[in-house]
Amino acid sequence: MTENNTRRLVQSVLVSLNGVISEPMTWAGPYFGAGSAAHSLAALERSDAFLMGRRTYETFARQWPTATGPYADFLNRMPKYVFSSTLAEAEWDNTTVIAGEVVEGVRALKQAGGNDLVVYGHGRFGQALVDAGLVDELTLTIVPVFVSGGTALFRDSEESHRWELLRAGRGHDPGLASLTYRPATASGQPGDAPEV
């Protein structure tokens, strides 16, 4: 169960049919069109900040600072936080490096109150947030492709978590499917029926 606070942390993950999550820019692009772009922009506009680990920062900082359009414009000007003990400073505009302990740093941002905090992907940073009980909503977008090699979504963890399905259905472009979860209630009983 996530902690009681006023600011939600929303994590979105692209995952292939065979469970791979790494390097989605190399295999998910053909399935992302206007529908996914509009949905992604709306999610950003509901958020106060974008949180990431160093790998995501390095990928995004190469791609987005010179991009144009509504999504790129919003992403470039919104506050961003990169959690890294090895990155001295961030070159991407409006990005703050947090070098301390990840869980405590994210907890402090959540307790500050405000609109959603958004996280993309489920690498070491994303998994640390799930294991610490800091993720309030987790969306898996299933991309209809098998990927050779890469990091799997399903991997060993010292923690066990139960989730409730909030929404399930088609993604925002043809071929995609979307599953959205929240942490299970303390009783372990299902909550309201999911939207299908």
Side-chain angles (χ1 to χ4, degrees):
M1 193 71 178
T2 56
E3 301 168 355
N4 184 20
N5 52 62
T6 59
R7 199 180 213 183
R8 298 188 322 149
L9 191 149
V10 176
Q11 188 176 119
S12 296
V13 184
L14 296 175
V15 57
S16 72
L17 277 177
N18 61 329
V20 172
I21 59 170
S22 57
E23 305 298 329
M25 70 291 298
T26 65
W27 45 264
Y31 300 93
F32 270 65
S36 296
H39 175 74
S40 297
L41 176 58
L44 273 191
E45 290 175 338
R46 292 191 301 270
S47 305
D48 278 344
F50 175 36
L51 279 54
M52 62 200 126
R54 178 165 183 165
R55 284 189 177 182
T56 299
Y57 167 78
E58 289 174 342
T59 299
F60 275 62
R62 283 193 305 266
Q63 178 179 357
W64 291 106
T66 58
T68 58
Y71 180 87
D73 292 345
F74 193 93
L75 182 62
N76 284 321
R77 70 174 177 263
M78 79 183 302
K80 295 172 284 291
Y81 297 89
V82 56
F83 290 79
S84 173
S85 60
T86 57
L87 186 66
E89 60 180 349
E91 296 181 0
W92 191 7
D93 287 348
N94 304 313
T95 301
T96 301
V97 177
I98 298 180
E101 210 277 328
V102 167
V103 170
E104 292 307 315
V106 173
R107 184 176 286 122
L109 287 174
K110 291 188 71 177
Q111 291 172 345
N115 294 326
D116 291 352
L117 302 171
V118 64
V119 174
Y120 290 154
H122 191 70
R124 289 174 53 198
F125 177 68
Q127 185 169 1
L129 302 183
V130 167
D131 287 348
L134 293 172
V135 176
D136 299 285
E137 189 172 288
L138 173 65
T139 296
L140 305 178
T141 298
I142 314 302
V143 182
V145 61
F146 284 87
V147 177
S148 176
T151 302
L153 172 64
F154 308 105
R155 56 198 188 276
D156 291 341
S157 172
E158 295 180 0
E159 303 293 334
S160 178
H161 302 278
R162 294 176 56 87
W163 297 83
E164 295 176 349
L165 184 64
L166 284 178
R167 294 181 296 280
R170 295 178 182 272
H172 300 282
D173 281 303
L176 301 175
S178 180
L179 302 169
T180 299
Y181 298 89
R182 67 183 173 198
T185 59
S187 66
Q189 299 301 313
D192 298 333
E195 300 173 20
V196 180

